[in-house]
Amino acid sequence: MRILTTFGLAAAATLAATLCASAASSAWHDSEGGRIRLVTSGQPDSAGRLEGVLEVALKPGWKTYWRDPGDSGVPPQLDVSASTNISQAALSFPPPRRHEDGYGGWAGYDHPVSLPVVFTLATPGSPAVIDANVFLGMCETICIPVQASLKLDPSSAPNDAGDAALVQAGFSALPAEAKADFGAKALPGSHEALVVEATAPGKASAVDLFVAGENGFMFGPPSREESGGKITFRIPVLDRPAAPPTGAGLPYTLTGETGAVQGLLPYP
């Protein structure tokens, strides 16, 4: 009986893994603060790009982080190196809000959120299996790191209506591209601070700026000033790379009364 039981457990585990790998959405991974899964929809385009979302179903009272959570948070991370025929996965982020937890301020979400992902096939037109290692933080009074391996076959059910609606909603929630009357621009500053002027329709009091410290930069909480109809943010530079980065710039999200936009700021 012991041999049969062991064999049965092994068979069940194999079957479960097979089922997860043959679904266009992964199985849920449960944690104390909620659960997460990956969902894809549709067929890859001619360049091999496939849209999906990392769905984060938070429990009431729990929060998770934006792309730059501050000096002590855990930003969402997605590693697809164990996948088959997937060369990269690019996460995007809907507009965050500021939160205070008694230890400091940080940017993130206090509600269930879907983070859009664009997967790129290494060889367009060939089969692919997404095997992703996901790492993020969920916070109540304390923050708990959540790590999960999420696996799926995006070709198994590409036309599922529920998956399509979830993915479409995730991408629709992203900030629009910045424009002249709703955006941010860097002003002359100093080595110690990034100074940014923001322009947005609606009430000035509703405007907030989130700048992602990437490529070796780390920023402190911004201070803001309203004068002469202009809104200026001064963002302390806590750390910077030894050499100027070669990237396109620092991603920012500007929120206001009428919505949110995103863009890039030059490195200070």
Side-chain angles (χ1 to χ4, degrees):
M1 289 295 292
R2 182 175 300 170
I3 295 175
L4 290 175
T5 300
T6 302
F7 177 79
L9 290 173
T14 301
L15 176 61
T18 301
L19 289 174
C20 289
S22 64
S25 60
S26 73
W28 285 102
H29 174 84
D30 293 295
S31 70
E32 184 178 350
R35 56 183 186 165
I36 60 174
R37 67 169 179 162
L38 281 171
V39 179
T40 60
S41 176
Q43 301 284 354
D45 65 15
S46 59
R49 293 185 293 264
L50 174 69
E51 292 186 346
V53 293
L54 173 60
E55 187 177 7
V56 184
L58 294 168
K59 292 180 181 178
W62 288 77
K63 306 173 185 69
T64 195
Y65 294 105
W66 185 57
R67 66 191 303 161
D68 185 342
D71 59 0
S72 60
V74 181
Q77 300 168 49
L78 187 62
D79 179 5
V80 293
S81 59
S83 301
T84 301
N85 195 28
I86 299 291
S87 62
Q88 64 178 355
L91 274 171
S92 297
F93 297 84
R97 291 178 56 193
R98 295 200 187 279
H99 299 275
E100 294 286 341
D101 57 12
Y103 301 96
W106 50 276
Y109 313 95
D110 58 359
H111 53 79
V113 63
S114 293
L115 305 180
V117 189
V118 175
F119 298 96
T120 301
L121 276 64
T123 305
S126 296
V129 173
I130 297 171
D131 189 350
N133 184 35
V134 179
F135 187 66
L136 53 79
M138 290 184 180
C139 310
E140 193 183 32
T141 54
I142 60 172
C143 288
I144 298 173
V146 178
Q147 186 166 13
S149 179
L150 304 178
K151 191 172 183 179
L152 61 97
D153 178 355
S155 67
S156 63
N159 299 315
D160 182 273
D163 290 349
L166 186 67
V167 172
Q168 182 179 10
F171 277 85
S172 295
L174 290 177
E177 292 302 314
K179 49 188 179 179
D181 62 347
F182 196 176
K185 64 178 181 180
L187 300 179
S190 66
H191 190 78
E192 291 77 26
L194 172 65
V195 181
V196 179
E197 182 180 291
T199 303
K203 296 178 180 177
S205 59
V207 177
D208 204 352
L209 177 68
F210 303 86
V211 180
E214 299 181 353
N215 294 322
F217 283 94
M218 180 180 292
F219 298 107
S223 59
R224 59 175 285 154
E225 179 182 336
E226 296 177 31
S227 177
K230 297 184 181 297
I231 307 168
T232 304
F233 292 87
R234 182 180 178 84
I235 308 166
V237 179
L238 304 181
D239 199 6
R240 63 172 62 241
T246 57
L250 296 166
Y252 76 84
T253 295
L254 182 68
T255 60
E257 190 176 27
T258 63
V261 294
Q262 62 185 350
L264 294 170
L265 293 168
Y267 298 112

